Amino acid sequence: MDNITHSIIGFGVGEVVHRSLPDEADTQSQRVRHRLLLVSCALASNFPDLDLFLGKRLPDPLGYLLYHRGHTHTALMALPQALLLAALLWLCWPSARALLRASMPARWGLTASIAAGLALHLLLDFTNSYGVHPWYPFDGRWLYGDMVFIVEPLFWVAFGVPMALVMRWRFARMAGPAGLLAVLVAFAVKGYLGWTSFAALLLIGALCGAAQWRAGTRGRAGLLLALGVGLGFIAVQGVASQAGRQQITAALQGIDPASRVLDVAMTAFPSQPLCWSFVSVESNEAQGNYRLRRGVASIAPTWLEPLACPAGLVEQLPSQALSPGVLQFATASAGLQALRLLKQSNCQVDAWLRFGRAPLLALASGELSDYRFAATPRGNFTTLHFSQALKCPDGVPGWGYPRADLLSP
């Protein structure tokens, strides 16, 4: 997820933890604890992304692909990250240090805030199609939630409105919801967000805000409602993603029964469970090739046709209907043997294949890229220009190969 989402949810959960604990002995200690728990949970919610600074350990694009969402995004590394963050807060925040020495509720609150922030980061990153491998080194496989768009305004609205209302400054209470409204309008105007979704988000924001307002100065009803809305949304998206995957798989098998559908990577639209972008991977061992397809699907085409999905996220290319709810915009294929030989003979390709979920091999241009990101506005950031003459990279992490099913017969 984007770091704005991580931060907003972190602040919201930190506020819930603070309001769930007994009050401190005096007003000043209560204020210090409030700030400490909000800051610690928000920092913990972003802490695993410090692995972005490790990208220079490998040449581009391998550094970013293999180190982002890498070791700091594993359950095993959560404990040292929690201890490091707690130590930094202890050393750099004298008033918080004094409070932690004197108050058991503050110590429990700090522990809960940091633990919740780190866990939420891994959970939210799992929900999209980029993937994580949280159980490394015990299990190096990538896990893909394929449920939530990487920038999801529902979380901003559900947590942002009640968080704005609990702030002490009147300007912040007014500017927060106004800023969120402006962002939603901009998203809708640019075609990233449907107007129906826009209206639903306004309703969710109003409900969470009203619940928090009625709860009073020490209440937490609106924040708990935001948590429930967020978890319910993820559950709905999970069901919709699975339905869409089954729909797309059935369409692909109907077109080419001889090929085996290995994977369908699903990318959600913001706040719209009916609309999905997809990249499929099919293999035909008998013919010695594999095929990638890219398109858009609606899981309820009688209600919403695929081309009626938010235009800002639908490719402006000629489309081919694979079924009433599934449109294909582009396709590509490559030889299985060529990919397997290249993995064995080229250490850069072997390293890249520890990331690539939909490997597009272009032998003529000497490029390997992930088809999931072929339509990004600034070009495909995963593209590897491989060459036998370049030195083998050192320090390649031991992640599993997402397409191990392509790499051997």
Side-chain angles (χ1 to χ4, degrees), residues 69-292:
R69 300 207 183 181
H71 298 89
T72 57
H73 287 69
T74 63
L76 185 64
M77 289 297 293
L79 179 59
Q81 288 182 86
L83 294 175
L84 175 59
L85 178 55
L88 291 173
L89 292 169
W90 177 274
L91 293 173
C92 300
W93 198 336
S95 58
R97 182 166 63 245
L99 173 66
L100 292 170
R101 282 175 174 154
S103 170
M104 178 65 74
R107 292 195 291 271
W108 278 112
L110 179 63
T111 301
S113 296
I114 292 178
L118 291 170
L120 283 168
H121 188 107
L122 297 187
L123 172 64
L124 290 171
D125 278 1
F126 161 74
T127 61
N128 54 60
S129 61
Y130 195 99
V132 291
H133 29 72
W135 311 123
Y136 181 84
F138 311 106
D139 186 349
R141 288 177 297 176
W142 288 83
L143 303 179
Y144 308 99
D146 288 2
M147 292 183 284
V148 178
F149 192 63
I150 195 168
V151 179
E152 179 45 69
L154 178 135
F155 297 125
W156 300 1
V157 171
F159 286 93
V161 172
M163 278 300 296
L165 295 178
V166 303
M167 300 184 93
R168 290 190 302 162
W169 304 282
R170 182 179 179 184
F171 173 78
R173 292 198 299 269
M174 299 176 62
L180 282 172
L181 178 61
V183 170
L184 294 183
V185 170
F187 277 22
V189 170
K190 290 181 176 293
Y192 301 138
L193 184 68
W195 288 106
T196 302
S197 299
F198 175 85
L201 291 175
L202 292 185
L203 177 61
I204 289 170
L207 291 174
C208 292
Q212 188 59 42
W213 186 266
R214 293 183 61 184
T217 57
R218 290 290 293 140
R220 52 183 184 168
L223 294 165
L224 291 176
L225 178 59
L227 278 173
V229 167
L231 292 173
F233 175 73
I234 291 174
V236 169
Q237 290 290 108
V239 172
S241 175
Q242 187 61 29
R245 179 178 288 106
Q246 293 174 353
Q247 180 183 11
I248 295 164
T249 300
L252 297 177
Q253 290 175 336
I255 293 171
D256 185 4
S259 293
R260 185 163 60 103
V261 180
L262 302 179
D263 193 9
V264 180
M266 304 288 288
T267 298
F269 279 57
S271 304
Q272 177 49 277
L274 301 183
C275 292
W276 298 85
S277 296
F278 72 90
V279 168
S280 63
V281 183
E282 305 162 70
S283 174
N284 191 320
E285 194 72 39
Q287 294 184 4
N289 59 30
Y290 69 96
R291 181 188 295 113
L292 308 172

Side-chain angles (χ1 to χ4, degrees), residues 64 129-130 149-150 192 267 277 279 294 312-315 317 369-383:
Y64 179 83
S129 61
Y130 195 99
F149 192 63
I150 195 168
Y192 301 138
T267 298
S277 296
V279 168
R294 192 171 75 243
L313 296 173
V314 175
E315 292 188 63
L317 294 173
S369 58
D370 196 312
Y371 211 46
R372 287 177 294 171
F373 309 102
T376 51
R378 297 183 180 180
N380 196 327
F381 65 90
T382 68
T383 300

Side-chain angles (χ1 to χ4, degrees), residues 18 26-36 168:
H18 170 69
D26 57 80
T27 302
Q28 180 59 25
S29 296
Q30 184 75 356
R31 289 180 178 176
V32 171
R33 191 185 79 186
H34 186 203
R35 292 193 294 268
L36 174 63
R168 290 190 302 162

